[in-house]
Each structure stands twice: as C-alpha cells, then as structure tokens.
C-alpha cells in the first residue's frame, strides 16, 4: 500500500511537544492545533477551510469549485487550475467534463456538448451529441 501525503496536522499526533509542531495555529482565526486540525500547506484550521470553501471568494477559494488554493487563484484570476481551459486559459463550466471550454471543444469537434464524452464520429453525425445523449432526448 503506497503512503499518501497527509494534508492535515492532527491534534492527537502533534501539539504535545515544544517546537514548530507544538506551536502550530490557524493563520486566519488563531485556533491552535489542540482545538482543531490544521491544513499544513496554508495553516488554516478545518473550520476556516469549510467557511472559505462555502464563500468561493476568489482569494482563498476557487470561484467555481471552492478548492483552497491561493497561489493558483492569483495566477488564474480567482479560479484554480482544474476549472480553467487547458488550451486557452479561460473559465467555463464545461471544463469539469472535458478539460476544455465549450469554444475549444467545438473547435476540436470531438466532445459531446451534454456529457463531455469524446466520440468524434458520433458527435459529427448527431450534430454535437453522442449516441447515448441522443437516446436520452
């Protein structure tokens, strides 16, 4: 079983000793590691993470999905790298299905407009839809 990187500093495992692990606290509200788990990468407690993910303010959390990634949000004007088109760099709700925005996927012409499935022959034949989406209609 491969080891996974732990994102949270656990109050049961840390905080009992002196040093950097014992003095960890939330950079936003000041909760200590004894009060709540702390997100290691950004030093935010779990309560602040839930609040910020719900706000989707574009500064701490992505405007589209609510992911906490301040560095990516500064680069992409309030959106994380998972919510912008990999070809043109614009935000679109269609990006979550295919990885491309609606305009880029129309230019390529291989993706279904509804489900995002890659089926070039079906999409050309059915005017932008795959066979499964045509049957549903």
């Amino acid at each position: 079983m491969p080891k996974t990187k732990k994102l949270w500093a656990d109050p049961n495992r840390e905080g009992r000793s002196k040093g950097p692990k014992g003095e960890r606290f939330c950079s936003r509200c000041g909760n200590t590691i004894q009060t709540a788990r702390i997100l290691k990468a950004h030093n935010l407690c779990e309560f602040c993470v839930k609040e910020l993910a719900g706000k989707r303010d574009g500064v701490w959390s992505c405007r589209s999905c609510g992911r906490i990634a301040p560095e990516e949000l500064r680069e992409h004007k309030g959106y994380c790298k998972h919510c912008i088109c990999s070809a043109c760099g614009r935000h679109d709700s269609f990006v979550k299905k295919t990885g491309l925005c609606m305009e880029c996927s129309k230019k390529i012409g291989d993706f279904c407009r509804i489900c995002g499935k890659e089926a070039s022959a079906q999409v050309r034949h059915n005017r932008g839809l795959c066979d499964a989406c045509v049957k549903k209609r």
Side-chain angles (χ1 to χ4, degrees):
M1 186 170 166
K3 290 185 177 181
T4 58
K5 184 177 176 183
K6 293 182 180 179
L7 300 175
W8 296 94
D10 190 14
N12 296 325
R13 300 185 76 207
E14 297 183 33
R16 303 207 191 290
S17 63
K18 293 185 179 185
K21 290 184 177 181
E23 298 172 4
R24 198 169 280 226
F25 60 92
C26 178
S27 61
R28 189 165 175 260
C29 68
N31 277 340
T32 64
I33 194 162
Q34 293 298 318
T35 310
R37 295 185 309 168
I38 304 288
L39 188 62
K40 289 180 184 177
H42 305 293
N43 282 333
L44 293 171
C45 69
E46 58 188 324
F47 307 120
C48 289
V49 168
K50 287 179 186 175
E51 182 183 337
L52 290 169
K55 279 186 179 178
R56 297 181 181 187
D57 59 356
V59 178
W60 279 94
S61 59
C62 177
R63 290 180 184 169
S64 179
C65 66
R67 185 170 164 250
I68 306 289
E71 295 85 20
E72 293 175 18
L73 300 176
R74 278 186 232 120
E75 289 177 22
H76 304 295
K77 298 177 185 167
Y79 295 99
C80 67
K81 66 181 179 182
H82 301 292
C83 296
I84 60 165
C85 178
S86 58
C88 65
R90 286 180 282 167
H91 166 70
D92 191 3
S93 60
F94 197 68
V95 172
K96 292 181 183 179
K97 293 180 185 178
T98 63
L100 299 170
C101 65
M102 183 66 90
E103 290 181 26
C104 291
S105 63
K106 281 182 184 177
K107 288 177 187 174
I108 293 172
D110 291 344
F111 298 100
C112 175
R113 288 180 301 171
I114 296 176
C115 69
K117 179 179 163 185
E118 185 176 8
S120 59
Q122 295 174 11
V123 169
R124 271 186 263 121
H125 182 262
N126 297 325
R127 296 187 181 133
L129 303 175
C130 67
D131 289 340
C133 292
V134 169
K135 288 178 184 177
K136 289 178 185 176
R137 287 186 153 203

